[in-house]
Amino acid sequence: MSAIDPAKVAAGLGEMEFRELASFGDGHAGVFWSEASGPSPWEMHPDCDEMLQVLEGEIEVEVLPGSGGPSVKTRVPSGSFFVVPRGDWHRQTLLVRTKEFYLTPGPSVHSTAADPRTGTAR
């Protein structure tokens, strides 16, 4: 057991190289970095919330509420974190070069559908 500095770990990675730092529940804690980019594919965690912490940079997280309705976009600046509720589809856009720590204590599901709640275009 030892302390881990996710920013230092991210600094030693290649772009979009995800590094698992520790097991956490049925999932893990990890880190990555990337230059600014378009939106990621949709992701959802049926059994857990997920925490996204911006170590450096800024992201925009888009969430499709599981209860229906339009997407909600939230900017997350450096030093801040965002908790994605269990069962809500979400994706993120890196607005500038970003180092990010994530804590996902359970399994993930992915989709490239325009609206993964229905599998159809929005």
Side-chain angles (χ1 to χ4, degrees):
M1 295 195 302
S2 62
I4 300 168
D5 182 337
K8 285 184 181 177
V9 174
L13 300 176
E15 184 174 11
M16 291 303 291
E17 178 183 351
F18 287 74
R19 175 71 49 88
E20 184 174 321
L21 302 175
S23 294
F24 195 86
D26 292 330
H28 59 276
V31 67
F32 74 95
W33 76 269
S34 183
E35 298 293 341
S37 65
S40 65
W42 292 105
E43 180 178 78
M44 190 264 290
H45 311 286
D47 302 323
C48 64
D49 296 340
E50 177 180 51
M51 186 189 80
L52 308 173
Q53 182 178 16
V54 177
L55 303 172
E56 178 183 305
E58 184 174 17
I59 65 173
E60 179 178 77
V61 179
E62 182 176 11
V63 177
L64 294 171
S67 59
S71 68
V72 177
K73 294 182 179 181
T74 303
R75 283 186 173 234
V76 185
S78 183
S80 300
F81 70 89
F82 183 86
V83 176
V84 180
R86 169 192 325 226
D88 283 358
W89 286 96
H90 59 285
R91 64 182 176 183
Q92 59 183 307
T93 300
L94 281 60
L95 302 174
V96 297
R97 180 184 169 114
T98 299
K99 291 179 185 174
E100 185 176 321
F101 171 77
Y102 56 92
L103 183 60
T104 311
S108 301
V109 178
H110 298 92
S111 175
T112 57
D115 186 339
R117 295 174 298 184
T118 62
T120 61
R122 281 191 265 181

